[in-house]
Amino acid sequence: MKVNRVRQNVLPLLTALIWGTAFVAQSVGARYMGPFTFNALRAVIAFVFLLCLCAVRRVAQRNIPYASASWKDLAVGGFFCGTALAVASAFQQIGLETVSSGKAGFLTALYIVLVPVLGLFLRRRAPKAVWFSVALAVAGLYFLCVTEQFSVTKGDLYLLLCALCFAVQILVVDHYSQRIDGVSLSCAQFLVMTLLCAPGILAEPLPPPELLMNCLWPVLYVGVFSSGVAYTLQILAQKDSDPAVVSLLLSMEAVFATLSGAIILHDRMTLREYLGCALMLAAVILAQRPDKRGN
């Protein structure tokens, strides 16, 4: 039970840490190529990385419980997870073209509201403390991310659709992670994402050869760590976990992005940002209480 508790809390926070610190790499890579080209490259890198990891695990440990799930479950789960992830990533990259990064982070993280709301349609009721934590986290995200006057634009709508797709992806992962090996499911979802994003490359100009090195390392970092490692950790964390609580932990990426900017880039944090971090931390701590009582 304690092992499960560590997995359900530490892995989402580690995922959020990777996503938060990878934001700079993602922004640099997107500067030199279109959204579909960028997403296709990060997806194929993640797929190859995870395929090699699956092969190594097969050789090192032949008794891994792959037999608990059929190839049909893996194909269907990978299709739905990969489709939701591909659509969400496309909306996010398009939205980032016209929306500031802070506001984009806030709108994308609204999946923390949508996950428990969509869960109601699946007859999964979140405890009252989780709903209060969600409200607290939204307030924290607003103080942390939004610094300009808030107005609704076309880019904002893309990011709201992105948040909806991420919420769907979290719920689909919640369903299939209970019976499919996490690394295999992650590998399958990035194969699907690659196939869905690849045709979009034809509609976008490729970066000039002299600029390829400028975006090579950012794309590799996002492909291996932000995609291959972090999304796999997300799947492993969601096994036997409350998706609403996991989504709250994942939203800590906004906090880690701000803190990494302060530590690495020496950006000064304002009182408003400190307040946002404090509210986010309080929301995450409060969200753990229903689970503890349940044990």
Side-chain angles (χ1 to χ4, degrees):
M1 188 63 68
K2 288 183 178 180
V3 174
N4 288 339
R5 173 65 57 189
V6 171
R7 173 173 56 81
Q8 294 166 6
N9 288 278
V10 173
L11 293 189
L13 288 175
L14 184 56
T15 301
L17 175 62
I18 295 172
W19 285 345
T21 55
F23 180 77
V24 174
Q26 183 175 345
S27 299
V28 172
R31 215 180 281 165
Y32 297 100
M33 59 186 70
F36 288 102
T37 303
F38 181 81
N39 286 331
L41 286 176
R42 68 181 291 187
V44 73
I45 291 170
F47 168 68
V48 172
F49 169 76
L50 291 168
L51 190 64
C52 294
L53 182 59
C54 286
V56 170
R57 292 175 74 218
R58 283 276 195 173
V59 173
Q61 187 178 352
R62 297 184 179 275
N63 295 324
I64 295 175
Y66 292 101
S68 60
S70 66
W71 284 104
K72 180 180 178 181
D73 288 333
L74 181 60
V76 173
F79 173 78
F80 284 116
C81 290
T83 300
L85 186 57
V87 176
S89 299
F91 281 137
Q92 186 181 52
Q93 289 298 119
I94 295 172
L96 280 169
E97 293 177 355
T98 56
V99 179
S100 67
S101 58
K103 189 178 180 183
F106 171 72
L107 292 172
T108 300
L110 288 180
Y111 61 74
I112 63 176
V113 179
L114 296 172
V115 168
V117 170
L118 293 177
L120 294 176
F121 294 96
L122 301 175
R123 298 179 179 179
R124 295 198 61 164
R125 293 186 178 181
K128 290 182 180 180
V130 171
W131 285 106
F132 184 75
S133 298
V134 167
L136 201 61
V138 170
L141 283 166
Y142 183 82
F143 284 119
L144 187 64
C145 300
V146 181
T147 56
E148 71 271 25
Q149 185 178 0
F150 202 93
S151 59
V152 179
T153 66
K154 186 177 179 180
D156 297 338
L157 297 178
Y158 282 122
L159 290 165
L160 288 173
L161 289 172
C162 162
L164 176 61
C165 292
F166 273 131
V168 171
Q169 191 260 357
I170 289 173
L171 290 172
V172 174
V173 166
D174 176 65
H175 177 73
Y176 284 100
S177 63
Q178 313 306 322
R179 47 184 171 171
I180 301 176
D181 173 70
V183 179
S184 300
L185 178 58
S186 187
C187 185
Q189 83 169 349
F190 280 108
L191 172 61
V192 172
M193 182 176 173
T194 300
L195 295 175
L196 292 177
C197 293
I201 297 178
L202 301 176
E204 297 176 347
L206 293 175
E210 62 271 16
L211 295 179
L212 282 177
M213 289 304 299
N214 292 339
C215 55
L216 176 61
W217 290 111
V219 172
L220 283 173
Y221 182 82
V222 173
V224 174
F225 291 99
S226 182
S227 300
V229 175
Y231 277 102
T232 303
L233 292 177
Q234 175 212 345
I235 292 175
L236 296 175
Q238 284 195 237
K239 185 176 179 63
D240 303 320
S241 302
D242 185 341
V245 175
V246 172
S247 67
L248 274 170
L249 292 166
L250 294 175
S251 69
M252 287 290 288
E253 65 174 299
V255 175
F256 289 125
T258 303
L259 292 176
S260 63
I263 296 172
I264 299 173
L265 303 178
H266 305 290
D267 294 336
R268 279 192 171 185
M269 289 182 64
T270 64
L271 181 61
R272 180 187 179 95
E273 289 174 325
Y274 280 118
L275 176 59
C277 290
L279 289 174
M280 287 289 295
L281 183 59
V284 167
I285 293 173
L286 181 62
Q288 308 306 311
R289 293 185 62 189
D291 291 334
K292 289 182 178 180
R293 290 197 300 265
N295 289 342

